[in-house]
Amino acid sequence: MEKITFFESNKISSPNPLTLVCTTTPDKKTNIAPISWWTKLSFDPEMVGFAMAKTSYSGEMVRESKKVVLAMPTEEMAQAAFECGTASGRETDKVDTFGIELVEIPGNSIKIPLHSCMAIECSLSQVVEVGDHYLYVCRVDNILGDLGKKALFAWDEDKVSLRTAK
């Protein structure tokens, strides 16, 4: 992947693909949780938002570290991305359990799945209570992407199916 602009990221992320919230646990492991919704909130400054259940372990890790990477998986990650949503990172090392190969992002302690087409590195700005969820408002620190790869977009009953971006 190479550095791309916030505007260029629209080519990969519109409409928003299935996204993996990548965080680091206290024992320095990567935790991954799938979400189906995130949005760009501001272009100046560049900001994004996503919601997670109040009980989410990944959300807890974001609140503690103030850092998160939103990674968009490719077709090769379909089954593992789905499986990440079936277990809690509190009890399960999802990376090991679901056989996810990780790669480092230069200058970031949070690793992401190898089979990602975009990674949005973020710093937490604000947490807003919205019913049974928290809305995480984050400043975009950096975006990496591969415009030649296709993202996952839809759930198809018991598996993730691929729908390509325009």
Side-chain angles (χ1 to χ4, degrees):
M1 286 195 278
E2 63 188 53
K3 184 171 176 61
I4 60 176
T5 68
F6 198 62
F7 184 75
E8 287 174 319
S9 70
N10 286 327
K11 293 178 183 176
I12 295 173
S13 67
S14 294
N16 290 343
L18 173 73
T19 301
L20 302 174
V21 173
C22 301
T23 59
T24 300
T25 64
D27 59 354
K28 306 299 182 211
K29 292 187 175 188
T30 297
N31 186 57
I32 298 172
I35 58 172
S36 59
W37 177 84
W38 66 274
T39 191
K40 291 178 178 169
L41 298 172
S42 170
F43 284 95
D44 187 18
E46 295 172 349
M47 299 184 82
V48 297
F50 62 94
M52 297 187 87
K54 288 180 178 177
T55 57
S56 165
Y57 181 64
S58 292
E60 183 180 320
M61 296 300 96
V62 174
R63 292 190 307 275
E64 286 181 13
S65 72
K66 310 289 189 238
K67 294 288 186 182
V68 63
V69 177
L70 302 180
M72 288 69 193
T74 60
E75 184 175 23
E76 295 88 351
M77 276 281 303
Q79 190 59 40
F82 174 77
E83 289 170 339
C84 282
T86 66
S88 169
R90 257 190 227 351
E91 294 89 32
T92 305
D93 181 334
K94 297 179 193 182
V95 171
D96 285 345
T97 301
F98 304 125
I100 300 168
E101 187 175 351
L102 299 176
V103 294
E104 292 184 5
I105 298 174
N108 197 321
S109 62
I110 301 172
K111 296 178 182 177
I112 64 167
L114 170 65
H115 298 292
S116 298
C117 59
M118 187 164 68
I120 303 174
E121 299 176 76
C122 301
S123 297
L124 182 64
S125 292
Q126 183 179 7
V127 178
V128 179
E129 186 174 353
V130 287
D132 60 352
H133 280 60
Y134 289 126
L135 172 65
Y136 295 88
V137 177
C138 300
R139 186 184 75 247
V140 174
D141 298 324
N142 193 33
I143 304 173
L144 300 170
D146 184 338
L147 299 175
K149 292 184 179 178
K150 294 179 173 48
L152 294 172
F153 281 84
W155 294 100
D156 181 13
E157 294 185 34
D158 63 343
K159 63 184 172 84
V160 177
S161 62
L162 181 69
R163 184 166 54 108
T164 59
K166 295 179 182 179

